[in-house]
Amino acid sequence: LGSIGMKLQVVGTIGQAATIAATSGLEAANAFLLNSFNPTTMAIGLAMGVLMDMLLQSCDQRDMETALLKDSGYCVAIGTYCAERWPLVGCVQRAESHCCFNSKLARIVQEQGRAQIPSMGGFGTAREPNCRGFRPEEFQAIDFSKIDLSEYFDELQTRSQQLIEGEIRTRVEARF
């Protein structure tokens, strides 16, 4: 029971520290942990701090933006490549390349339009992506009747349905 009680206390202290970190920042959470002075809690707090530092240093702003755009369906995955190679060891860091656009519709037109214009060379290679937009003459050469927009229309239909349901719910709640 004593061991379980100690673990519950540690979990509770960590939970309180996490809440404080989320609302008041890491410095306030560290101060709370120092005031709680329990060697186990201190070790866990230190480990959390080191882990947070590692996570925050591993991704820059550009990486975070790419991840958000990728999850939104605005990017085309180009491929992976070895970003850092050590002698005798080989590849120690792999990287992914993506071409991201301002909307899902832009991504669809880029993907299917480039397939119609071989001179663009597609999206290039993972190490040297070609994410440029269309030149006016390239854009005019695209046959839009061959572009499948079903993915875009499905998203519009889903979004429209959600907006309609939200509007109906708001009006019903306002009346009753």
Side-chain angles (χ1 to χ4, degrees):
L1 286 177
S3 175
I4 293 173
M6 176 64 141
K7 288 177 184 174
L8 289 174
Q9 183 181 7
V10 169
V11 169
T13 303
I14 292 171
Q16 288 175 326
T19 302
I20 292 170
T23 56
S24 303
L26 286 175
E27 289 179 13
N30 285 336
F32 172 76
L33 289 173
L34 282 172
N35 289 335
S36 301
F37 191 71
N38 177 327
T40 305
T41 306
M42 293 299 293
I44 292 171
L46 179 63
M48 284 176 44
V50 169
L51 183 63
M52 290 298 292
D53 286 345
M54 287 174 46
L55 289 174
L56 292 175
Q57 289 176 0
S58 65
C59 294
D60 62 8
Q61 183 69 24
R62 188 171 162 201
D63 290 340
M64 288 186 232
E65 288 173 3
T66 301
L68 287 171
L69 290 171
K70 186 174 122 181
D71 288 344
S72 298
Y74 292 10
C75 299
V76 176
I78 308 302
T80 60
Y81 65 96
C82 181
E84 189 171 347
R85 184 177 299 279
W86 290 354
L88 303 174
V89 176
C91 187
V92 294
Q93 182 179 5
R94 300 202 59 77
E96 295 180 5
S97 291
H98 297 87
C99 286
C100 298
F101 302 97
N102 293 334
S103 68
K104 190 175 279 192
L105 179 61
R107 191 244 326 142
I108 292 168
V109 170
Q110 283 286 334
E111 277 182 315
Q112 296 178 32
R114 284 173 190 252
Q116 296 179 26
I117 305 172
S119 63
M120 279 191 80
F123 287 103
T125 64
R127 189 172 286 283
E128 295 180 20
N130 174 15
C131 299
R132 74 171 177 84
F134 293 113
R135 293 188 178 105
E137 61 274 7
E138 292 169 337
F139 193 74
Q140 290 174 347
I142 296 173
D143 182 355
F144 283 90
S145 68
K146 294 181 180 177
I147 292 184
D148 177 15
L149 297 174
S150 60
E151 178 185 357
Y152 182 68
F153 291 139
D154 290 345
E155 182 182 343
L156 282 179
Q157 184 177 4
T158 302
R159 246 194 276 153
S160 296
Q161 186 66 30
Q162 290 171 345
L163 288 172
I164 291 168
E165 289 173 4
E167 182 67 24
I168 290 171
R169 190 174 299 116
T170 301
R171 288 184 181 188
V172 167
E173 289 173 358
R175 289 185 185 247
F176 298 104

